[in-house]
Amino acid sequence: MPVPKDEFDSLYPCDFYTPAELLDEDKLYTVYEIARLLQDLDPDEDIGQDVENVLLDWAIPWVMFHSDDLVVAEPRDDDEPGFYGVDT
């Protein structure tokens, strides 16, 4: 259900990094690592499954929106996620 804006103390611009600003052009990242980076966290930081699920809600649309600026690498193993990087 929609919530009135005045119920919040502060509102912020919805400004996200571009792939070139967020990712090292010589590396590939999982969507989980991208989720952490979008929150200015270390890509290897242990954040717990509940927090990770929330961050993925931000990261997956970001990857889709910036798909023209990204490359994708297939997982190396069946239990590994895919990897994304800057299209250079």
Side-chain angles (χ1 to χ4, degrees):
M1 172 177 258
V3 177
K5 288 180 180 179
D6 61 5
E7 287 189 19
F8 297 89
D9 293 332
S10 300
L11 299 173
Y12 305 96
C14 189
D15 186 25
F16 292 101
Y17 297 101
T18 66
E21 293 170 327
L22 187 68
L23 308 176
D24 183 324
E25 70 177 39
D26 296 327
K27 294 184 180 177
L28 295 172
Y29 302 82
T30 67
V31 71
Y32 305 101
E33 294 164 336
I34 291 170
R36 289 174 179 81
L37 290 170
L38 285 168
Q39 297 298 318
D40 292 323
L41 300 172
D42 185 275
D44 297 321
E45 188 164 333
D46 183 17
I47 57 175
Q49 189 63 48
D50 291 341
V51 173
E52 186 163 70
N53 290 340
V54 171
L55 297 186
L56 284 176
D57 287 344
W58 291 87
I60 292 169
W62 183 89
V63 167
M64 294 175 68
F65 180 80
H66 291 290
S67 63
D68 289 343
D69 299 319
L70 298 170
V71 294
V72 179
E74 292 284 333
R76 295 171 289 190
D77 297 311
D78 289 341
D79 64 340
E80 185 177 65
F83 288 85
Y84 302 86
V86 177
D87 186 7
T88 54

